[in-house]
Amino acid sequence: NAGVTQTPKFQVLKTGQSMTLQCAQDMNHNSMYWYRQDPGMGLRLIYYSASEGTTDKGEVPNGYNVSRLNKREFSLRLESAAPSQTSVYFCASKRASTDTQYFGPGTRLTVL
Amino acid sequence: QKEVEQNSGPLSVPEGAIASLNCTYSDRVSQSFFWYRQYSGKSPELIMSIYSNGDKEDGRFTAQLNKASQYVSLLIRDSQPSDSATYLCAVIPPSNAGGTSYGKLTFGQGTILTVHP
């Protein structure tokens, strides 16, 4: 099992460009999450998907959209990137019956 | 007031000592508490979860929860250089209107621990 995978690992964008961060899990988990991590601020929840077909906003959703493509995949889209979105983005997933979240390796995004 | 706060670091301890990491949370009715370890450049990994008042031990790690005082701590006994990492405290806040929280985590800002030989 690969667990939670994320692509790309690194990305540099110019202000105003768009991109989609991909996340996939092969553990048959119901719930998936997108977090961002900035220095000195821990992780903050952007969006989550409690189950296939549902998505909802987290703490910092502005400037992002998400798609739960199927049970395995949950993507995060930046429509018009801004320097404030420079961060490390982590995807996570968990089974319905537990609280343990498993994190992907992260995507390091720089917006110039 | 931040929902989850950790003691400001960085924390430096000698090898073999006990490292003590502290976390306070603002919402009195929170029920689920976690400690994640994050090595530099890596993703967080769960090392302890605790749900009831008191201590929970797992090897060299002990999590302590005091709901009345709204704090949770992590003790690392016999600290090793390999324990050097950022430790993140996380809480599942209560859900609204009796619904489920869907496992959403609220993290503290993290404490950097360095164990020196």
Side-chain angles (χ1 to χ4, degrees):
Chain A
N1 287 351
V4 181
T5 57
Q6 293 183 237
T7 56
K9 286 186 169 51
F10 301 92
Q11 184 69 50
V12 179
L13 293 178
K14 294 181 180 178
T15 297
Q17 288 184 316
S18 62
M19 79 161 295
T20 300
L21 281 63
Q22 306 286 354
C23 174
Q25 51 89 11
D26 62 2
M27 297 177 284
N28 201 34
H29 287 174
N30 291 319
S31 302
M32 298 185 73
Y33 309 82
W34 276 106
Y35 295 90
R36 60 177 288 174
Q37 185 174 33
D38 302 299
M41 299 195 68
L43 282 82
R44 293 181 292 170
L45 182 65
I46 305 171
Y47 270 93
Y48 68 99
S49 171
S51 60
E52 185 179 358
T54 69
T55 61
D56 210 342
K57 297 177 181 178
E59 181 184 354
V60 288
N62 291 345
Y64 305 95
N65 284 301
V66 290
S67 295
R68 183 74 183 265
L69 303 171
N70 46 55
K71 191 170 186 179
R72 291 186 63 248
E73 299 172 289
F74 187 38
S75 63
L76 178 72
R77 183 160 179 83
L78 287 70
E79 291 291 352
S80 179
S84 60
Q85 294 177 304
T86 294
S87 190
V88 181
Y89 292 85
F90 288 103
C91 177
S93 70
K94 79 170 189 72
R95 289 201 306 268
S97 57
T98 75
D99 290 328
T100 303
Q101 292 189 21
Y102 296 87
F103 285 80
T107 294
R108 282 147 184 82
L109 176 67
T110 301
V111 183
L112 303 176
Chain B
Q1 180 188 1
K2 289 188 64 172
E3 291 184 52
V4 180
E5 291 204 58
Q6 298 184 233
N7 51 330
S8 58
L11 178 66
S12 181
V13 301
E15 184 174 356
I18 295 175
S20 177
L21 302 156
N22 298 316
C23 173
T24 58
Y25 57 96
S26 61
D27 200 313
R28 178 173 294 279
V29 298
S30 297
Q31 296 294 321
S32 306
F33 308 88
F34 309 88
W35 283 100
Y36 282 80
R37 178 177 62 199
Q38 186 178 25
Y39 291 116
S40 180
K42 302 297 185 182
S43 57
E45 58 177 328
L46 181 69
I47 53 172
M48 291 287 283
S49 58
I50 187 167
Y51 303 93
S52 304
N53 276 330
D55 295 359
K56 179 181 178 182
E57 189 174 316
D58 184 1
R60 296 186 295 110
F61 298 95
T62 299
Q64 299 174 317
L65 176 60
N66 183 322
K67 290 185 179 180
S69 300
Q70 295 175 234
Y71 84 77
V72 57
S73 62
L74 179 70
L75 301 177
I76 306 174
R77 292 184 301 281
D78 189 24
S79 295
Q80 301 297 309
S82 58
D83 295 325
S84 298
T86 297
Y87 288 81
L88 298 160
C89 174
V91 175
I92 293 181
S95 55
N96 295 328
T100 178
S101 63
Y102 298 111
K104 295 178 291 180
L105 293 170
T106 299
F107 284 86
Q109 73 272 34
T111 301
I112 298 172
L113 171 67
T114 301
V115 181
H116 53 87

mmCIF file of all heavy atoms in Angstrom, chain B residues 27-71:
data_model
loop_
_atom_site.group_PDB
_atom_site.id
_atom_site.type_symbol
_atom_site.label_atom_id
_atom_site.label_comp_id
_atom_site.label_asym_id
_atom_site.label_seq_id
_atom_site.Cartn_x
_atom_site.Cartn_y
_atom_site.Cartn_z
ATOM 1 N N ASP B 27 -11.688 25.203 24.226
ATOM 2 C CA ASP B 27 -13.070 24.754 24.312
ATOM 3 C C ASP B 27 -13.203 23.620 25.334
ATOM 4 O O ASP B 27 -12.703 22.522 25.108
ATOM 5 C CB ASP B 27 -13.589 24.305 22.947
ATOM 6 C CG ASP B 27 -15.111 24.314 22.902
ATOM 7 O OD1 ASP B 27 -15.726 23.788 23.848
ATOM 8 O OD2 ASP B 27 -15.671 24.850 21.939
ATOM 9 N N ARG B 28 -13.900 23.920 26.393
ATOM 10 C CA ARG B 28 -13.997 23.008 27.528
ATOM 11 C C ARG B 28 -14.593 21.654 27.149
ATOM 12 O O ARG B 28 -14.304 20.638 27.780
ATOM 13 C CB ARG B 28 -14.836 23.668 28.621
ATOM 14 C CG ARG B 28 -15.072 22.854 29.852
ATOM 15 C CD ARG B 28 -15.760 23.695 30.910
ATOM 16 N NE ARG B 28 -14.900 24.770 31.374
ATOM 17 C CZ ARG B 28 -13.929 24.614 32.289
ATOM 18 N NH1 ARG B 28 -13.713 23.434 32.824
ATOM 19 N NH2 ARG B 28 -13.205 25.646 32.657
ATOM 20 N N VAL B 29 -15.446 21.604 26.139
ATOM 21 C CA VAL B 29 -16.135 20.347 25.827
ATOM 22 C C VAL B 29 -15.405 19.501 24.785
ATOM 23 O O VAL B 29 -15.941 18.482 24.340
ATOM 24 C CB VAL B 29 -17.594 20.604 25.385
ATOM 25 C CG1 VAL B 29 -18.371 21.264 26.495
ATOM 26 C CG2 VAL B 29 -17.639 21.435 24.124
ATOM 27 N N SER B 30 -14.190 19.886 24.397
ATOM 28 C CA SER B 30 -13.402 19.041 23.500
ATOM 29 C C SER B 30 -13.183 17.681 24.143
ATOM 30 O O SER B 30 -13.038 17.571 25.362
ATOM 31 C CB SER B 30 -12.048 19.693 23.192
ATOM 32 O OG SER B 30 -12.238 20.915 22.508
ATOM 33 N N GLN B 31 -13.173 16.637 23.305
ATOM 34 C CA GLN B 31 -13.148 15.277 23.843
ATOM 35 C C GLN B 31 -11.951 14.454 23.399
ATOM 36 O O GLN B 31 -11.606 13.468 24.034
ATOM 37 C CB GLN B 31 -14.421 14.526 23.418
ATOM 38 C CG GLN B 31 -15.700 15.119 23.984
ATOM 39 C CD GLN B 31 -15.780 14.984 25.490
ATOM 40 O OE1 GLN B 31 -15.395 13.969 26.057
ATOM 41 N NE2 GLN B 31 -16.255 16.027 26.144
ATOM 42 N N SER B 32 -11.330 14.839 22.281
ATOM 43 C CA SER B 32 -10.299 13.987 21.682
ATOM 44 C C SER B 32 -9.029 14.788 21.477
ATOM 45 O O SER B 32 -9.075 15.900 20.938
ATOM 46 C CB SER B 32 -10.779 13.453 20.324
ATOM 47 O OG SER B 32 -12.032 12.812 20.456
ATOM 48 N N PHE B 33 -7.897 14.186 21.907
ATOM 49 C CA PHE B 33 -6.632 14.923 21.927
ATOM 50 C C PHE B 33 -5.520 14.041 21.365
ATOM 51 O O PHE B 33 -5.494 12.839 21.614
ATOM 52 C CB PHE B 33 -6.301 15.330 23.375
ATOM 53 C CG PHE B 33 -7.451 16.053 24.035
ATOM 54 C CD1 PHE B 33 -8.430 15.344 24.704
ATOM 55 C CD2 PHE B 33 -7.567 17.424 23.927
ATOM 56 C CE1 PHE B 33 -9.512 15.993 25.284
ATOM 57 C CE2 PHE B 33 -8.641 18.086 24.504
ATOM 58 C CZ PHE B 33 -9.613 17.363 25.169
ATOM 59 N N PHE B 34 -4.622 14.672 20.633
ATOM 60 C CA PHE B 34 -3.610 13.917 19.902
ATOM 61 C C PHE B 34 -2.268 14.624 19.971
ATOM 62 O O PHE B 34 -2.197 15.853 20.035
ATOM 63 C CB PHE B 34 -4.026 13.785 18.421
ATOM 64 C CG PHE B 34 -5.417 13.265 18.232
ATOM 65 C CD1 PHE B 34 -6.489 14.138 18.201
ATOM 66 C CD2 PHE B 34 -5.657 11.910 18.113
ATOM 67 C CE1 PHE B 34 -7.791 13.661 18.051
ATOM 68 C CE2 PHE B 34 -6.945 11.424 17.963
ATOM 69 C CZ PHE B 34 -8.012 12.300 17.926
ATOM 70 N N TRP B 35 -1.220 13.816 19.910
ATOM 71 C CA TRP B 35 0.131 14.335 19.716
ATOM 72 C C TRP B 35 0.694 13.748 18.424
ATOM 73 O O TRP B 35 0.704 12.528 18.243
ATOM 74 C CB TRP B 35 1.034 13.972 20.889
ATOM 75 C CG TRP B 35 0.802 14.821 22.095
ATOM 76 C CD1 TRP B 35 0.078 14.499 23.198
ATOM 77 C CD2 TRP B 35 1.298 16.147 22.311
ATOM 78 N NE1 TRP B 35 0.078 15.540 24.094
ATOM 79 C CE2 TRP B 35 0.830 16.569 23.579
ATOM 80 C CE3 TRP B 35 2.090 17.029 21.575
ATOM 81 C CZ2 TRP B 35 1.128 17.814 24.116
ATOM 82 C CZ3 TRP B 35 2.388 18.270 22.107
ATOM 83 C CH2 TRP B 35 1.913 18.657 23.361
ATOM 84 N N TYR B 36 1.142 14.646 17.549
ATOM 85 C CA TYR B 36 1.796 14.262 16.305
ATOM 86 C C TYR B 36 3.263 14.668 16.382
ATOM 87 O O TYR B 36 3.618 15.705 16.935
ATOM 88 C CB TYR B 36 1.155 14.960 15.103
ATOM 89 C CG TYR B 36 -0.152 14.347 14.641
ATOM 90 C CD1 TYR B 36 -1.336 14.632 15.303
ATOM 91 C CD2 TYR B 36 -0.185 13.510 13.542
ATOM 92 C CE1 TYR B 36 -2.540 14.074 14.877
ATOM 93 C CE2 TYR B 36 -1.379 12.948 13.107
ATOM 94 C CZ TYR B 36 -2.554 13.240 13.779
ATOM 95 O OH TYR B 36 -3.737 12.694 13.355
ATOM 96 N N ARG B 37 4.099 13.851 15.755
ATOM 97 C CA ARG B 37 5.516 14.164 15.620
ATOM 98 C C ARG B 37 5.789 14.466 14.147
ATOM 99 O O ARG B 37 5.312 13.759 13.263
ATOM 100 C CB ARG B 37 6.377 12.987 16.072
ATOM 101 C CG ARG B 37 7.877 13.174 15.930
ATOM 102 C CD ARG B 37 8.612 11.959 16.496
ATOM 103 N NE ARG B 37 8.259 10.751 15.768
ATOM 104 C CZ ARG B 37 8.437 9.520 16.242
ATOM 105 N NH1 ARG B 37 8.958 9.342 17.453
ATOM 106 N NH2 ARG B 37 8.106 8.477 15.525
ATOM 107 N N GLN B 38 6.574 15.511 13.907
ATOM 108 C CA GLN B 38 6.896 15.887 12.541
ATOM 109 C C GLN B 38 8.392 16.144 12.427
ATOM 110 O O GLN B 38 8.906 17.121 12.971
ATOM 111 C CB GLN B 38 6.102 17.131 12.110
ATOM 112 C CG GLN B 38 6.283 17.487 10.653
ATOM 113 C CD GLN B 38 5.444 18.681 10.234
ATOM 114 O OE1 GLN B 38 5.070 19.529 11.042
ATOM 115 N NE2 GLN B 38 5.122 18.751 8.953
ATOM 116 N N TYR B 39 9.083 15.278 11.705
ATOM 117 C CA TYR B 39 10.493 15.510 11.429
ATOM 118 C C TYR B 39 10.607 16.581 10.349
ATOM 119 O O TYR B 39 9.697 16.765 9.541
ATOM 120 C CB TYR B 39 11.167 14.215 10.982
ATOM 121 C CG TYR B 39 11.291 13.175 12.072
ATOM 122 C CD1 TYR B 39 10.627 11.956 11.984
ATOM 123 C CD2 TYR B 39 12.076 13.402 13.196
ATOM 124 C CE1 TYR B 39 10.739 10.996 12.971
ATOM 125 C CE2 TYR B 39 12.188 12.462 14.206
ATOM 126 C CZ TYR B 39 11.512 11.265 14.082
ATOM 127 O OH TYR B 39 11.622 10.324 15.082
ATOM 128 N N SER B 40 11.730 17.251 10.349
ATOM 129 C CA SER B 40 11.942 18.358 9.415
ATOM 130 C C SER B 40 11.762 17.900 7.972
ATOM 131 O O SER B 40 12.373 16.918 7.535
ATOM 132 C CB SER B 40 13.358 18.916 9.605
ATOM 133 O OG SER B 40 13.578 19.978 8.733
ATOM 134 N N GLY B 41 10.897 18.577 7.255
ATOM 135 C CA GLY B 41 10.655 18.264 5.853
ATOM 136 C C GLY B 41 9.742 17.077 5.614
ATOM 137 O O GLY B 41 9.567 16.669 4.460
ATOM 138 N N LYS B 42 9.184 16.522 6.684
ATOM 139 C CA LYS B 42 8.321 15.354 6.559
ATOM 140 C C LYS B 42 6.896 15.681 6.980
ATOM 141 O O LYS B 42 6.599 16.794 7.414
ATOM 142 C CB LYS B 42 8.866 14.202 7.425
ATOM 143 C CG LYS B 42 10.282 13.787 7.082
ATOM 144 C CD LYS B 42 10.394 13.238 5.675
ATOM 145 C CE LYS B 42 11.798 12.728 5.396
ATOM 146 N NZ LYS B 42 11.921 12.217 3.989
ATOM 147 N N SER B 43 6.027 14.704 6.864
ATOM 148 C CA SER B 43 4.638 14.905 7.240
ATOM 149 C C SER B 43 4.411 14.492 8.689
ATOM 150 O O SER B 43 5.185 13.717 9.259
ATOM 151 C CB SER B 43 3.721 14.107 6.302
ATOM 152 O OG SER B 43 4.067 12.743 6.321
ATOM 153 N N PRO B 44 3.350 14.995 9.321
ATOM 154 C CA PRO B 44 3.060 14.611 10.702
ATOM 155 C C PRO B 44 2.676 13.138 10.807
ATOM 156 O O PRO B 44 2.028 12.593 9.911
ATOM 157 C CB PRO B 44 1.865 15.497 11.070
ATOM 158 C CG PRO B 44 1.868 16.608 10.079
ATOM 159 C CD PRO B 44 2.416 16.020 8.823
ATOM 160 N N GLU B 45 3.070 12.514 11.915
ATOM 161 C CA GLU B 45 2.653 11.148 12.195
ATOM 162 C C GLU B 45 2.127 11.090 13.620
ATOM 163 O O GLU B 45 2.708 11.680 14.541
ATOM 164 C CB GLU B 45 3.798 10.159 11.998
ATOM 165 C CG GLU B 45 5.006 10.429 12.849
ATOM 166 C CD GLU B 45 6.109 9.391 12.693
ATOM 167 O OE1 GLU B 45 5.787 8.215 12.438
ATOM 168 O OE2 GLU B 45 7.283 9.759 12.856
ATOM 169 N N LEU B 46 1.047 10.356 13.810
ATOM 170 C CA LEU B 46 0.424 10.261 15.120
ATOM 171 C C LEU B 46 1.276 9.399 16.049
ATOM 172 O O LEU B 46 1.681 8.300 15.686
ATOM 173 C CB LEU B 46 -0.973 9.652 14.989
ATOM 174 C CG LEU B 46 -1.763 9.515 16.291
ATOM 175 C CD1 LEU B 46 -2.147 10.888 16.815
ATOM 176 C CD2 LEU B 46 -3.000 8.652 16.069
ATOM 177 N N ILE B 47 1.558 9.915 17.264
ATOM 178 C CA ILE B 47 2.272 9.101 18.231
ATOM 179 C C ILE B 47 1.422 8.779 19.454
ATOM 180 O O ILE B 47 1.650 7.758 20.098
ATOM 181 C CB ILE B 47 3.603 9.759 18.667
ATOM 182 C CG1 ILE B 47 3.398 11.194 19.168
ATOM 183 C CG2 ILE B 47 4.615 9.732 17.537
ATOM 184 C CD1 ILE B 47 4.650 11.798 19.772
ATOM 185 N N MET B 48 0.468 9.622 19.797
ATOM 186 C CA MET B 48 -0.374 9.346 20.966
ATOM 187 C C MET B 48 -1.752 9.967 20.758
ATOM 188 O O MET B 48 -1.872 11.056 20.206
ATOM 189 C CB MET B 48 0.226 9.941 22.235
ATOM 190 C CG MET B 48 1.496 9.291 22.725
ATOM 191 S SD MET B 48 1.204 7.667 23.445
ATOM 192 C CE MET B 48 0.540 8.130 25.036
ATOM 193 N N SER B 49 -2.761 9.276 21.251
ATOM 194 C CA SER B 49 -4.093 9.846 21.354
ATOM 195 C C SER B 49 -4.581 9.609 22.775
ATOM 196 O O SER B 49 -4.212 8.618 23.413
ATOM 197 C CB SER B 49 -5.052 9.205 20.347
ATOM 198 O OG SER B 49 -5.127 7.809 20.553
ATOM 199 N N ILE B 50 -5.390 10.519 23.288
ATOM 200 C CA ILE B 50 -5.913 10.368 24.652
ATOM 201 C C ILE B 50 -7.294 10.978 24.714
ATOM 202 O O ILE B 50 -7.547 12.041 24.107
ATOM 203 C CB ILE B 50 -4.938 10.980 25.691
ATOM 204 C CG1 ILE B 50 -5.408 10.673 27.121
ATOM 205 C CG2 ILE B 50 -4.737 12.461 25.471
ATOM 206 C CD1 ILE B 50 -4.349 10.963 28.188
ATOM 207 N N TYR B 51 -8.186 10.308 25.426
ATOM 208 C CA TYR B 51 -9.584 10.731 25.452
ATOM 209 C C TYR B 51 -10.103 10.931 26.875
ATOM 210 O O TYR B 51 -11.096 11.631 27.079
ATOM 211 C CB TYR B 51 -10.469 9.702 24.750
ATOM 212 C CG TYR B 51 -10.063 9.430 23.320
ATOM 213 C CD1 TYR B 51 -9.200 8.391 23.010
ATOM 214 C CD2 TYR B 51 -10.542 10.227 22.285
ATOM 215 C CE1 TYR B 51 -8.819 8.149 21.700
ATOM 216 C CE2 TYR B 51 -10.173 9.983 20.970
ATOM 217 C CZ TYR B 51 -9.313 8.941 20.694
ATOM 218 O OH TYR B 51 -8.943 8.708 19.392
ATOM 219 N N SER B 52 -9.441 10.302 27.866
ATOM 220 C CA SER B 52 -9.927 10.352 29.243
ATOM 221 C C SER B 52 -8.914 11.035 30.137
ATOM 222 O O SER B 52 -7.705 10.996 29.866
ATOM 223 C CB SER B 52 -10.167 8.935 29.776
ATOM 224 O OG SER B 52 -11.050 8.222 28.947
ATOM 225 N N ASN B 53 -9.379 11.635 31.207
ATOM 226 C CA ASN B 53 -8.488 12.246 32.183
ATOM 227 C C ASN B 53 -7.486 11.220 32.712
ATOM 228 O O ASN B 53 -7.806 10.057 32.894
ATOM 229 C CB ASN B 53 -9.290 12.793 33.373
ATOM 230 C CG ASN B 53 -9.839 14.172 33.110
ATOM 231 O OD1 ASN B 53 -9.260 14.962 32.379
ATOM 232 N ND2 ASN B 53 -10.986 14.464 33.698
ATOM 233 N N GLY B 54 -6.273 11.699 32.949
ATOM 234 C CA GLY B 54 -5.258 10.833 33.511
ATOM 235 C C GLY B 54 -4.104 10.644 32.549
ATOM 236 O O GLY B 54 -3.869 11.468 31.676
ATOM 237 N N ASP B 55 -3.370 9.571 32.779
ATOM 238 C CA ASP B 55 -2.178 9.274 32.003
ATOM 239 C C ASP B 55 -2.409 8.105 31.063
ATOM 240 O O ASP B 55 -3.145 7.171 31.367
ATOM 241 C CB ASP B 55 -1.015 8.918 32.946
ATOM 242 C CG ASP B 55 -0.589 10.069 33.819
ATOM 243 O OD1 ASP B 55 -1.181 11.164 33.697
ATOM 244 O OD2 ASP B 55 0.325 9.886 34.643
ATOM 245 N N LYS B 56 -1.732 8.170 29.930
ATOM 246 C CA LYS B 56 -1.717 7.053 28.993
ATOM 247 C C LYS B 56 -0.279 6.851 28.556
ATOM 248 O O LYS B 56 0.364 7.781 28.072
ATOM 249 C CB LYS B 56 -2.606 7.336 27.773
ATOM 250 C CG LYS B 56 -2.604 6.219 26.746
ATOM 251 C CD LYS B 56 -3.477 6.581 25.555
ATOM 252 C CE LYS B 56 -3.449 5.493 24.500
ATOM 253 N NZ LYS B 56 -4.276 5.860 23.308
ATOM 254 N N GLU B 57 0.225 5.645 28.746
ATOM 255 C CA GLU B 57 1.623 5.368 28.474
ATOM 256 C C GLU B 57 1.776 4.468 27.265
ATOM 257 O O GLU B 57 1.007 3.517 27.068
ATOM 258 C CB GLU B 57 2.259 4.702 29.705
ATOM 259 C CG GLU B 57 3.760 4.549 29.657
ATOM 260 C CD GLU B 57 4.320 4.022 30.972
ATOM 261 O OE1 GLU B 57 3.901 4.505 32.034
ATOM 262 O OE2 GLU B 57 5.154 3.098 30.925
ATOM 263 N N ASP B 58 2.788 4.763 26.469
ATOM 264 C CA ASP B 58 3.129 3.911 25.319
ATOM 265 C C ASP B 58 4.632 3.970 25.146
ATOM 266 O O ASP B 58 5.164 4.933 24.588
ATOM 267 C CB ASP B 58 2.410 4.397 24.067
ATOM 268 C CG ASP B 58 2.660 3.491 22.862
ATOM 269 O OD1 ASP B 58 3.380 2.477 23.004
ATOM 270 O OD2 ASP B 58 2.138 3.798 21.774
ATOM 271 N N GLY B 59 5.310 2.944 25.678
ATOM 272 C CA GLY B 59 6.767 2.936 25.606
ATOM 273 C C GLY B 59 7.359 4.098 26.384
ATOM 274 O O GLY B 59 7.059 4.291 27.558
ATOM 275 N N ARG B 60 8.179 4.886 25.724
ATOM 276 C CA ARG B 60 8.808 6.029 26.404
ATOM 277 C C ARG B 60 7.904 7.259 26.457
ATOM 278 O O ARG B 60 8.267 8.279 27.030
ATOM 279 C CB ARG B 60 10.122 6.378 25.693
ATOM 280 C CG ARG B 60 11.175 5.288 25.759
ATOM 281 C CD ARG B 60 12.508 5.755 25.157
ATOM 282 N NE ARG B 60 12.413 6.029 23.726
ATOM 283 C CZ ARG B 60 12.476 7.250 23.192
ATOM 284 N NH1 ARG B 60 12.645 8.316 23.978
ATOM 285 N NH2 ARG B 60 12.401 7.401 21.886
ATOM 286 N N PHE B 61 6.745 7.181 25.840
ATOM 287 C CA PHE B 61 5.841 8.322 25.753
ATOM 288 C C PHE B 61 4.691 8.194 26.752
ATOM 289 O O PHE B 61 4.120 7.113 26.905
ATOM 290 C CB PHE B 61 5.253 8.441 24.341
ATOM 291 C CG PHE B 61 6.273 8.678 23.265
ATOM 292 C CD1 PHE B 61 6.792 7.625 22.546
ATOM 293 C CD2 PHE B 61 6.717 9.961 22.981
ATOM 294 C CE1 PHE B 61 7.731 7.841 21.555
ATOM 295 C CE2 PHE B 61 7.653 10.187 21.994
ATOM 296 C CZ PHE B 61 8.168 9.127 21.275
ATOM 297 N N THR B 62 4.379 9.294 27.431
ATOM 298 C CA THR B 62 3.217 9.355 28.306
ATOM 299 C C THR B 62 2.432 10.610 27.977
ATOM 300 O O THR B 62 2.990 11.705 27.995
ATOM 301 C CB THR B 62 3.609 9.384 29.793
ATOM 302 O OG1 THR B 62 4.317 8.198 30.118
ATOM 303 C CG2 THR B 62 2.363 9.478 30.672
ATOM 304 N N ALA B 63 1.160 10.432 27.655
ATOM 305 C CA ALA B 63 0.276 11.571 27.457
ATOM 306 C C ALA B 63 -0.535 11.765 28.733
ATOM 307 O O ALA B 63 -0.954 10.796 29.368
ATOM 308 C CB ALA B 63 -0.646 11.351 26.271
ATOM 309 N N GLN B 64 -0.726 13.014 29.117
ATOM 310 C CA GLN B 64 -1.497 13.342 30.311
ATOM 311 C C GLN B 64 -2.597 14.318 29.928
ATOM 312 O O GLN B 64 -2.342 15.290 29.227
ATOM 313 C CB GLN B 64 -0.589 13.973 31.367
ATOM 314 C CG GLN B 64 0.545 13.075 31.828
ATOM 315 C CD GLN B 64 1.492 13.793 32.771
ATOM 316 O OE1 GLN B 64 1.861 14.942 32.548
ATOM 317 N NE2 GLN B 64 1.896 13.094 33.828
ATOM 318 N N LEU B 65 -3.802 14.046 30.410
ATOM 319 C CA LEU B 65 -4.942 14.898 30.097
ATOM 320 C C LEU B 65 -5.613 15.357 31.381
ATOM 321 O O LEU B 65 -5.907 14.546 32.260
ATOM 322 C CB LEU B 65 -5.952 14.154 29.226
ATOM 323 C CG LEU B 65 -7.256 14.872 28.895
ATOM 324 C CD1 LEU B 65 -7.002 16.172 28.141
ATOM 325 C CD2 LEU B 65 -8.180 13.943 28.091
ATOM 326 N N ASN B 66 -5.856 16.648 31.461
ATOM 327 C CA ASN B 66 -6.583 17.227 32.590
ATOM 328 C C ASN B 66 -7.667 18.125 32.010
ATOM 329 O O ASN B 66 -7.407 19.262 31.615
ATOM 330 C CB ASN B 66 -5.630 18.027 33.488
ATOM 331 C CG ASN B 66 -6.327 18.584 34.717
ATOM 332 O OD1 ASN B 66 -7.479 19.008 34.664
ATOM 333 N ND2 ASN B 66 -5.630 18.601 35.833
ATOM 334 N N LYS B 67 -8.879 17.601 31.920
ATOM 335 C CA LYS B 67 -9.961 18.348 31.281
ATOM 336 C C LYS B 67 -10.407 19.539 32.127
ATOM 337 O O LYS B 67 -10.821 20.565 31.589
ATOM 338 C CB LYS B 67 -11.144 17.429 30.990
ATOM 339 C CG LYS B 67 -10.858 16.418 29.894
ATOM 340 C CD LYS B 67 -12.107 15.621 29.554
ATOM 341 C CE LYS B 67 -11.821 14.638 28.440
ATOM 342 N NZ LYS B 67 -13.021 13.841 28.076
ATOM 343 N N ALA B 68 -10.312 19.423 33.434
ATOM 344 C CA ALA B 68 -10.725 20.537 34.293
ATOM 345 C C ALA B 68 -9.846 21.753 34.064
ATOM 346 O O ALA B 68 -10.311 22.894 34.062
ATOM 347 C CB ALA B 68 -10.686 20.116 35.759
ATOM 348 N N SER B 69 -8.560 21.520 33.856
ATOM 349 C CA SER B 69 -7.614 22.615 33.612
ATOM 350 C C SER B 69 -7.392 22.849 32.125
ATOM 351 O O SER B 69 -6.645 23.758 31.751
ATOM 352 C CB SER B 69 -6.273 22.311 34.287
ATOM 353 O OG SER B 69 -6.449 22.155 35.678
ATOM 354 N N GLN B 70 -7.992 22.035 31.300
ATOM 355 C CA GLN B 70 -7.918 22.182 29.845
ATOM 356 C C GLN B 70 -6.485 22.151 29.347
ATOM 357 O O GLN B 70 -6.061 23.022 28.568
ATOM 358 C CB GLN B 70 -8.651 23.457 29.396
ATOM 359 C CG GLN B 70 -10.152 23.368 29.673
ATOM 360 C CD GLN B 70 -10.883 24.645 29.348
ATOM 361 O OE1 GLN B 70 -11.592 25.210 30.183
ATOM 362 N NE2 GLN B 70 -10.723 25.124 28.138
ATOM 363 N N TYR B 71 -5.736 21.147 29.794
ATOM 364 C CA TYR B 71 -4.403 20.986 29.233
ATOM 365 C C TYR B 71 -4.123 19.506 28.990
ATOM 366 O O TYR B 71 -4.664 18.619 29.622
ATOM 367 C CB TYR B 71 -3.324 21.619 30.114
ATOM 368 C CG TYR B 71 -2.811 20.778 31.254
ATOM 369 C CD1 TYR B 71 -1.911 19.737 31.032
ATOM 370 C CD2 TYR B 71 -3.204 21.038 32.552
ATOM 371 C CE1 TYR B 71 -1.442 18.969 32.080
ATOM 372 C CE2 TYR B 71 -2.735 20.272 33.607
ATOM 373 C CZ TYR B 71 -1.850 19.245 33.365
ATOM 374 O OH TYR B 71 -1.385 18.495 34.409
#
